[in-house]
Amino acid sequence: MQGTVDGFSYGLVTPLVAYLMACLGGALGLRCTTRSMLVAQSWRPGWLALGSAAIGSGIWTMHFVAMMGFTVQETPIHYDKAMTFASLAVAIVMVGVGVFIVGYKGARGTALFTGGTITGLGIASMHYLGMASMRLDGKLEYNTLTVGISVAIAMCAATAALWAAGQVRGFLWSVGASLVMGLAVSGMHYTGMAALDVHLHGTATPTSGESPAALLAPMLIGPLAFLLLAGVVVMFDPLMVLGKPAVAPAEQKPGIPAHAHTAVHHSAHRLRFRPRRPVERGRSRAPQNR
């Protein structure tokens, strides 16, 4: 029997809140990625790890906030707690791999393509693993073409977002990129949901697993608290907003072009070793005065 699926049981509330969560995680993650490109090598892993966790937590929270509005009229829906949080770990790890590639190799060429692809696959894996954590009296089936489109959307969105993070054009640039990323991640989610069909078993056997109400508290309190902490780190780091490196390069002073600095250096080097001609006092240089 075909189940009656409703993905918007709370109207536009869950899609809008889910979109904001995706934007928040994307904004924090992209700013941390940008910041990692402006600091010394010793600080870079920390910023990249924070950015990976922010993006992963944001898209995971977005997914399950949106799933609060998903119902099947003929059967209750429960969630397996272990698999639900496993999807969070998968999101953070796979997004982290892509972010670290771009953070160390640069947001261009092969590194950007590889990092964006892995990050997009991480977003898609989180979504479908989270869907697999559902427990209901039925079977989930997907349209292969629509699933492929949703995965392509995730990869394109991730690649575009990582490219924007590598441009280092200031805070507003990253905010705009995060809005686009949030829209793409939400679009990927609802495209994947459009690929879903539920076929009910029609049995009276109760399903097992945690209910959505039991998952609500850890789902919101945990990741949202982390996103709040990441937001505090961003707010108290002025270089995150200014988008400027912490120190000027040692080989170039501020306000002096590189070629001019080099020319002055070489000129000083030449003058330092130029021998001075001794001046003879008391002697006339004119031959008639000898």
Side-chain angles (χ1 to χ4, degrees):
M1 181 176 65
Q2 187 78 17
T4 305
V5 175
D6 184 6
F8 304 94
S9 58
Y10 294 101
L12 294 177
V13 175
T14 49
L16 289 177
V17 175
Y19 172 69
L20 291 177
M21 291 299 100
C23 292
L24 177 61
L28 296 176
L30 293 179
R31 289 308 296 167
C32 291
T33 304
T34 299
R35 184 67 170 89
S36 71
M37 300 177 182
L38 303 173
V39 297
Q41 291 285 341
S42 59
W43 288 92
R44 185 170 297 180
W47 284 110
L48 292 175
L50 181 61
S52 304
I55 295 176
S57 298
I59 61 178
W60 184 84
T61 305
M62 172 269 157
H63 172 83
F64 283 100
V65 167
M67 291 305 294
M68 291 297 99
F70 177 81
T71 59
V72 180
Q73 293 183 6
E74 294 82 2
T75 180
I77 298 176
H78 304 275
Y79 289 87
D80 180 80
K81 191 173 183 178
M83 190 172 292
T84 297
F85 287 101
S87 65
L88 173 62
V90 168
I92 293 176
V93 170
M94 292 193 67
V95 169
V97 173
V99 167
F100 268 77
I101 291 175
V102 171
Y104 278 94
K105 299 296 183 180
R108 58 186 180 274
T110 305
L112 176 61
F113 176 78
T114 304
T117 300
I118 296 176
T119 302
L121 291 177
I123 296 173
S125 299
M126 181 280 306
H127 172 83
Y128 290 105
L129 186 58
M131 294 297 295
S133 69
M134 288 196 305
R135 299 291 181 263
L136 49 81
D137 186 24
K139 180 182 179 182
L140 305 181
E141 294 185 356
Y142 294 93
N143 180 277
T144 304
L145 178 61
T146 310
V147 169
I149 293 174
S150 69
V151 174
I153 292 174
M155 291 190 296
C156 292
T159 303
L162 292 177
W163 174 83
Q167 301 308 303
V168 195
R169 296 184 181 180
F171 182 73
L172 293 179
W173 176 267
S174 292
V175 169
S178 66
L179 294 177
V180 175
M181 182 178 182
L183 182 63
V185 170
S186 299
M188 176 268 161
H189 172 85
Y190 286 104
T191 302
M193 297 304 295
L196 175 66
D197 287 322
V198 178
H199 296 276
L200 300 177
H201 297 320
T203 63
T205 304
T207 56
S208 61
E210 297 290 335
S211 66
L215 283 176
L216 182 61
M219 181 185 66
L220 294 180
I221 294 176
L224 284 180
F226 172 77
L227 291 175
L228 178 63
L229 178 62
V232 171
V233 173
V234 171
M235 291 176 60
F236 281 89
D237 184 3
L239 295 177
M240 296 286 289
V241 178
L242 297 177
K244 297 179 181 179
V247 293
E251 66 273 5
Q252 181 178 346
K253 296 182 179 179
I256 301 179
H259 65 277
H261 183 273
T262 305
V264 171
H265 175 75
H266 288 304
S267 298
H269 181 75
R270 289 195 300 268
L271 290 174
R272 191 186 315 154
F273 294 98
R274 180 180 296 175
R276 297 182 61 185
R277 180 179 299 177
V279 179
E280 297 181 4
R281 298 181 180 180
R283 298 180 60 185
S284 173
R285 296 181 180 179
Q288 62 269 23
N289 294 333
R290 291 181 178 176

